[in-house]
Amino acid sequence: MAGSATEEKTFRRFLELFLREMRPPLQENDPVPMRPLSDLTSEDEVEGECLDMCLQHLCKYNCPFSLAAALARATADSVLQSDLSIYHIQKTVEDGVDPFPQIESVAFARLIFNKLCETCCLWLKDFPYRRRPQPYYETSIHAIKNMRRKMEDKHIVIPDFNTLFNIQDQEEQAFFAVFDGHGGVDAAIYAANHLHVNMVHQECFSQDPGEALCRAFRVTDERFIRKAKMENLRCGTTGVVTFLRGRTLYVAWLGDSQVMLVKKGQAVELMKPHKPDREDEKQRIEALGGCVIWFGTWRVNGSLSVSRAIGDNEHKPYISGVADQHIVPLDGTEDYLILACDGFYDTVSPEEAVRVVSDHLTENSGDSTMVAHKLVASARDAGSSDNISVIVVFLRDLRAPPPGEEDEEGEEGKDEEVAEVEEEGQGEMGCQDGSTTDVGGKGHCFLQQCSAPADLGYEDRTDSLTDRTSLGLLGPMLGEDGRIRLPPACSHPTPSLALTQNLMPTEGHGAAWLPCLEEGLQGSRHKPQPKPCVPACQEPSSDGQWPLAASLFGHAGRRTRRMECVSPRWGWVSRRWGRAPRELPGLLHSTCSVPYPQRCPERRPGVALPHLPHGSRI
């Protein structure tokens, strides 16, 4: 009861400060914080768009996901009960079809934000929500635009699915998905906003979630095609969805976005991507009168390199909208899932992905915050130029032994402790440095983690994106004065605690989290990084400096692509693009200057050279 009372007190304080930050009810000509990409073509889109906008807006204030999901649900119910006909606008189709009603996007967004504020006010007076205890899955998320002109990937994470849809009679459920758009981002946004809503509305959802997922893919495809015809859209999206209900995993997919399961440290194949070079897909396309042609890669009718997708109306029926599914019962020994688009899986093998995750967890004492960043970096370094989106969903605490091995390891640990005590004749425990500290065990509550600025040089990249639907569960921390400190409405979620231990905030409006600086004789500089490891197979040279130089060149080459500096005349200048970086969702920019790199006359601007000890020769 004490924990529930404390949580309710925290939620009430969040609502109080959230309402204080929000403006009064928006009037007809007031701007709205965000709105749908285009006018709604039917009332079927109302629920999905409403939930998405509420979650995104609450996320900017680092609202706990359980509270954000409940508020979004209550707001959506209130909007659905409203008379939406007053927001209809009449548009005619070019081919002379009768006018059809659409919902004007700005007026619709204004209605949603007013309803959200109204709901918060009512809850502040009489708080009706009680969070149910449930196992949240720890996740790590990262996405970058990479070398492409536009970011066409979308992803969505719903760790508390039951609260978002007010489901009372089911086991705990969670929803994770990645959508990789092509020809534009409209199809990916539409799928991310509506596919999970369409799944819940299927009659078979309670008894057969896998079939409901497949039907949701078909419904989403049909409705988007109708919308695309009205708005002359020529785009599509692949997608992979994982749905967890209790101890069962449901997977459904279209196209070449993939998910892999890692169990006991080994990659487990869950699906085969839909590509034209698959024999069964090729036969299906040719039976419909199409063809598969090699044009850099195998393509349907010489155009698309995927054989199934949502949208792509001009390529139907060759590009199918029928999803495949796979059901996996879980026994508790599963480690994690990796959902990603083809920008990742085309360059990183499942075995390499497992190795990257394992190495990162080993190097960081089990901290999984930056796992997705490392996976994205590995794909980029392997040559991927496509958009890259990665979601890692941990199904158990990897710092604790898998179920079934706990008892065995516990007995072995007891025997070792007894032996140590008898040998030393003292009551001391071994490993006084803390390596025997308990860092896991039963009852560990998985927490949803927001994507944080990478320590891989991505914190200043203009192509680094994080979907705002990735919300934290714990929400804002209480200060010494007992109040919740909310970020400004335009800011981004606070970095996770694990990351901020080595970060310090700069001061001033719009300040971001930057690496700690230490003062030296020549001004501020970044703390020196540990020397890169030199492969053991390399023989040292006579002066022992060549291997060090070779490794330094490799790291410097990767860093210089992502460096930014402050020009005394123009302010922020991107050395790579020659212009100020744009502010994008998921990026933490700072208005404070960073130390300008030391230069010598023979160096070219924007090129970082390795530093060797004084007097060394290569």
Side-chain angles (χ1 to χ4, degrees):
M1 292 298 293
S4 177
T6 302
E7 185 178 70
E8 181 174 332
K9 183 179 179 181
T10 301
F11 286 174
R12 283 182 176 275
R13 289 181 177 176
F14 174 86
L15 293 173
E16 178 183 351
L17 294 183
F18 175 74
L19 289 172
R20 187 182 303 171
E21 292 287 332
M22 293 288 290
R23 296 181 56 185
L26 298 177
Q27 303 302 321
E28 182 176 356
N29 296 324
D30 290 341
V32 293
M34 63 185 71
R35 64 184 180 89
L37 192 64
S38 61
D39 296 331
L40 280 65
T41 56
S42 71
E43 295 192 3
D44 295 332
E45 302 176 19
V46 169
E47 183 177 1
E49 295 289 349
C50 182
L51 293 174
D52 175 67
M53 283 193 288
C54 289
L55 290 177
Q56 288 199 43
H57 192 63
L58 290 168
C59 173
K60 291 195 300 184
Y61 295 86
N62 203 23
C63 179
F65 188 86
S66 56
L67 176 61
L71 286 171
R73 179 73 265 161
T75 303
D77 291 341
S78 179
V79 170
L80 290 170
Q81 294 172 5
S82 304
D83 180 14
L84 299 177
S85 61
I86 60 177
Y87 303 103
H88 285 179
I89 55 177
Q90 296 294 327
K91 289 187 178 180
T92 57
V93 183
E94 295 180 357
D95 57 7
V97 178
D98 293 336
F100 59 89
Q102 288 188 342
I103 299 177
E104 202 271 321
S105 59
V106 176
F108 177 69
R110 194 175 293 116
L111 170 68
I112 289 176
F113 285 109
N114 287 339
K115 289 291 186 181
L116 177 60
C117 290
E118 180 182 328
T119 302
C120 291
C121 290
L122 293 175
W123 284 28
L124 188 59
K125 297 177 181 177
D126 183 16
F127 192 79
Y129 173 72
R130 295 294 184 273
R131 174 182 162 190
R132 301 184 305 274
Q134 53 187 312
Y136 286 104
Y137 296 94
E138 182 180 357
T139 63
S140 178
I141 310 165
H142 194 50
I144 64 170
K145 179 169 67 70
N146 210 2
M147 305 296 290
R148 294 296 179 91
R149 292 178 57 250
K150 297 180 180 180
M151 180 60 170
E152 297 177 333
D153 288 359
K154 290 289 292 182
H155 62 267
I156 182 169
V157 172
I158 307 177
D160 193 353
F161 194 85
N162 288 358
T163 298
L164 187 62
F165 291 98
N166 196 24
I167 299 174
Q168 305 290 340
D169 57 349
Q170 284 290 350
E171 299 177 89
E172 299 305 331
Q173 302 174 127
F175 181 96
F176 309 93
V178 171
F179 300 97
D180 182 3
H182 48 263
V185 73
D186 300 78
I189 291 177
Y190 188 90
N193 290 349
H194 299 288
L195 194 144
H196 54 293
V197 178
N198 294 334
M199 178 183 70
V200 172
H201 291 168
Q202 301 303 312
E203 294 182 0
C204 60
F205 172 71
S206 299
Q207 292 77 24
D208 191 352
E211 179 61 25
L213 259 179
C214 292
R215 293 184 183 182
F217 268 101
R218 289 196 295 271
V219 171
T220 305
D221 180 43
E222 294 169 358
R223 292 180 178 175
F224 179 75
I225 287 177
R226 182 180 61 188
K227 182 182 183 72
K229 290 179 179 179
M230 296 176 180
E231 301 182 5
N232 295 320
L233 301 176
R234 302 180 62 186
C235 57
T237 183
T238 66
V240 59
V241 175
T242 57
F243 182 72
L244 287 158
R245 174 183 286 180
R247 303 305 301 173
T248 306
L249 170 66
Y250 300 88
V251 180
W253 70 97
L254 281 177
D256 54 4
S257 295
Q258 300 181 56
V259 57
M260 60 174 280
L261 171 67
V262 178
K263 182 174 182 178
K264 296 182 179 179
Q266 301 295 321
V268 179
E269 184 183 82
L270 297 180
M271 52 169 286
K272 292 184 180 297
H274 297 130
K275 293 190 175 184
D277 56 350
R278 268 180 52 175
E279 188 60 32
D280 56 343
E281 290 294 287
K282 182 179 179 181
Q283 293 177 1
R284 178 185 63 80
I285 294 168
E286 292 177 345
L288 293 170
C291 61
V292 176
I293 302 174
W294 175 266
F295 192 72
T297 185
W298 291 107
R299 299 180 181 273
V300 178
N301 296 334
S303 179
L304 295 180
S305 59
V306 294
S307 57
R308 301 193 190 191
I310 292 173
D312 295 315
N313 179 53
E314 66 275 16
H315 297 287
K316 300 292 186 186
Y318 314 113
I319 301 298
S320 173
V322 179
D324 281 339
Q325 65 162 312
H326 185 55
I327 302 175
V328 182
L330 305 177
D331 58 14
T333 61
E334 294 79 13
D335 299 333
Y336 53 88
L337 300 165
I338 301 180
L339 295 85
C341 60
D342 64 326
F344 174 80
Y345 278 111
D346 283 351
T347 56
V348 179
S349 66
E351 293 75 18
E352 176 66 13
V354 173
R355 186 193 64 79
V356 170
V357 174
S358 177
D359 290 349
H360 175 82
L361 295 177
T362 301
E363 294 169 1
N364 294 274
S365 302
D367 181 17
S368 61
T369 307
M370 307 299 292
V371 165
H373 293 72
K374 284 290 181 71
L375 290 170
V376 169
S378 65
R380 191 176 189 279
D381 292 342
S384 176
S385 60
D386 197 0
N387 301 152
I388 307 175
S389 297
V390 174
I391 301 176
V392 184
V393 183
F394 290 90
L395 303 177
R396 66 178 186 88
D397 184 4
L398 297 185
R399 294 168 295 186
E405 298 181 7
E406 295 179 357
D407 297 338
E408 298 177 1
E409 294 189 3
E411 294 177 359
E412 293 177 359
K414 291 180 180 178
D415 294 341
E416 292 177 359
E417 291 177 3
V418 171
E420 289 178 359
V421 171
E422 292 178 353
E423 181 179 351
E424 298 179 2
Q426 298 178 358
E428 299 177 345
M429 294 294 293
C431 299
Q432 296 296 327
D433 59 355
S435 59
T436 59
T437 302
D438 183 18
V439 293
K442 297 180 180 179
H444 177 74
C445 181
F446 289 116
L447 300 178
Q448 162 73 11
Q449 293 181 348
C450 294
S451 182
D455 56 353
L456 308 173
Y458 284 109
E459 66 272 14
D460 291 326
R461 291 182 59 84
T462 59
D463 63 355
S464 178
L465 305 171
T466 300
D467 198 309
R468 287 200 183 99
T469 53
S470 311
L471 303 184
L473 293 173
L474 294 181
M477 302 295 293
L478 289 176
E480 296 179 357
D481 57 354
R483 290 186 170 275
I484 303 175
R485 296 181 179 179
L486 288 177
C490 61
S491 65
H492 300 278
T494 305
S496 62
L497 180 61
L499 181 64
T500 57
Q501 292 174 353
N502 295 323
L503 300 178
M504 58 175 293
T506 59
E507 298 180 356
H509 178 69
W513 292 89
L514 296 176
C516 290
L517 305 176
E518 67 176 10
E519 298 294 331
L521 296 177
Q522 310 203 358
S524 298
R525 62 184 177 86
H526 289 282
K527 287 186 178 180
Q529 299 295 323
K531 294 182 179 180
C533 299
V534 180
C537 60
Q538 295 182 357
E539 294 293 336
S541 58
S542 58
D543 56 4
Q545 299 297 336
W546 172 246
L548 174 61
S551 58
L552 279 171
F553 270 110
H555 286 270
R558 287 195 293 271
R559 273 200 302 270
T560 54
R561 293 198 303 265
R562 304 167 187 137
M563 290 182 61
E564 289 180 352
C565 63
V566 178
S567 169
R569 180 178 180 185
W570 301 109
W572 276 101
V573 177
S574 174
R575 293 187 178 180
R576 183 178 180 188
W577 302 109
R579 65 175 182 267
R582 294 182 299 155
E583 183 176 352
L584 294 176
L587 268 179
L588 296 177
H589 290 296
S590 173
T591 57
C592 303
S593 61
V594 296
Y596 198 83
Q598 298 283 343
R599 290 184 180 172
C600 57
E602 66 272 18
R603 294 184 181 175
R604 292 181 297 161
V607 178
L609 298 179
H611 295 275
L612 296 178
H614 182 69
S616 301
R617 293 176 299 120
I618 297 179

